[in-house]
Amino acid sequence: MSKQGNLIDDSHLLSYEVLDSTNEEAKRLAGGGASHGAVIWAKKQTAGRGRMGREWISPEGNLYVSVLLSPNKDLATCSQLSFVAAVAAAETLDVIVSEQSDISCKWPNDILYGGKKLGGILLESFTTPDQKGKERQWVVVGVGINIDHFPEHVMFPATCLRDAGVEIISAKIVLSRFIYNFIHRYDHWAKKGFKDIQKNWVER
C-alpha cells in the first residue's frame, strides 16, 4: 500500500460465481493477508445484507461488489467513504440512464432513480493483527445496484435499471464503470479531503 493508500496502483479484482456476502469475503481476505484495494465481485449472494443487518436480496443479474481498504485515516474520517461511494455510483449511473437528473442520493446510504431505490452502500470497519501483533484498521465499502431485478413489498419502493428503461446492460459493465469512478473519487478524497465529495453529494 502506498503512503496515501492510492487505489490507482493497488486495486485488483477477485470475481466469484456465488458468495455468502462480498463484504464477508473481504473480511476473510483481510484476515488472510489480502492487500488494500482488493475488489470483490460476486454474481450472486446467498446472505447479502444491507444497513442494520437487513437482508439484501441478491439474485444473479444485479451488481454486488465490495472494495477492501486500509486508509491511513481515523475511523471518523473513514466514515466519509460512504459518500465517496455514493458519488461514484451516481456518476456511474448518470451515463447509463436516459434521465441523469433522476439519479439522486438519499441519506444515509441509498442511490435513487426517480425517487425509488436503485442501489445501496454498506460501510463496515474492522481490525486484523499484522505480523508484529499490532492491529491494522480496515474499511469495507459494499455496493449493490439493481440491474435486472429489484425486491418488491419492501419498506422503501425500489426499482432496477431494466425497469428504468435500460434494455441491455450487464453487471460487469456497471462494475467496471463504478470501479473507474470510485478509484478517482477515492484518490481525490485521500489526497485532498472531503470538501469536494461533500459538495457533489449535497448537489444530488
Side-chain angles (χ1 to χ4, degrees):
M1 184 181 69
S2 61
K3 189 172 181 180
Q4 290 83 20
N6 189 294
L7 278 190
I8 291 176
D9 299 326
D10 299 335
S11 62
H12 55 282
L13 176 66
L14 301 167
S15 63
Y16 303 82
E17 290 295 318
V18 182
L19 281 176
D20 55 348
S21 158
T22 56
N23 269 31
E24 289 303 312
E25 180 66 8
K27 294 176 185 179
R28 290 190 288 264
L29 290 169
S35 62
H36 166 89
V39 178
I40 298 94
W41 169 41
K43 293 182 180 179
K44 179 181 178 180
Q45 294 183 126
T46 58
R49 67 181 188 280
R51 189 168 164 268
M52 300 178 68
R54 297 189 183 100
E55 180 185 13
W56 187 275
I57 299 170
S58 309
E60 187 170 348
N62 292 346
L63 175 64
Y64 317 108
V65 62
S66 296
V67 185
L68 178 63
L69 305 168
S70 184
N72 295 319
K73 298 181 184 291
D74 60 61
L75 274 179
T77 302
C78 287
S79 67
Q80 298 167 356
L81 288 169
S82 180
F83 298 91
V84 175
V87 170
E91 290 174 334
T92 298
L93 294 165
D94 276 346
V95 299
I96 294 173
V97 301
S98 58
E99 296 294 335
Q100 296 180 8
S101 61
D102 281 353
I103 296 292
S104 61
C105 300
K106 175 180 172 290
W107 173 266
N109 64 337
D110 292 343
I111 307 297
L112 307 182
Y113 179 75
K116 295 181 178 180
K117 185 168 180 174
L118 184 61
I121 297 156
L122 178 63
L123 200 69
E124 297 184 290
S125 62
F126 63 99
T127 60
T128 59
D130 63 18
Q131 294 179 346
K132 297 181 180 179
K134 295 182 178 180
E135 289 191 338
R136 182 176 182 181
Q137 183 70 49
W138 297 91
V139 178
V140 181
V141 181
V143 177
I145 296 176
N146 298 332
I147 298 174
D148 286 340
H149 316 279
F150 66 92
E152 299 185 42
H153 311 297
V154 289
M155 188 183 334
F156 194 88
T159 189
C160 64
L161 289 176
R162 187 175 298 280
D163 199 52
V166 180
E167 295 183 0
I168 303 176
I169 191 74
S170 70
K172 189 172 183 179
I173 291 172
V174 179
L175 169 70
S176 64
R177 291 177 177 176
F178 169 73
I179 293 302
Y180 173 84
N181 287 319
F182 183 80
I183 285 173
H184 287 277
R185 285 295 183 176
Y186 175 90
D187 287 338
H188 182 93
W189 169 84
K191 295 172 183 176
K192 298 185 179 181
F194 186 51
K195 184 178 179 180
D196 290 339
I197 298 294
Q198 182 182 34
K199 179 177 181 292
N200 292 147
W201 191 93
V202 170
E203 287 173 349
R204 292 181 178 273

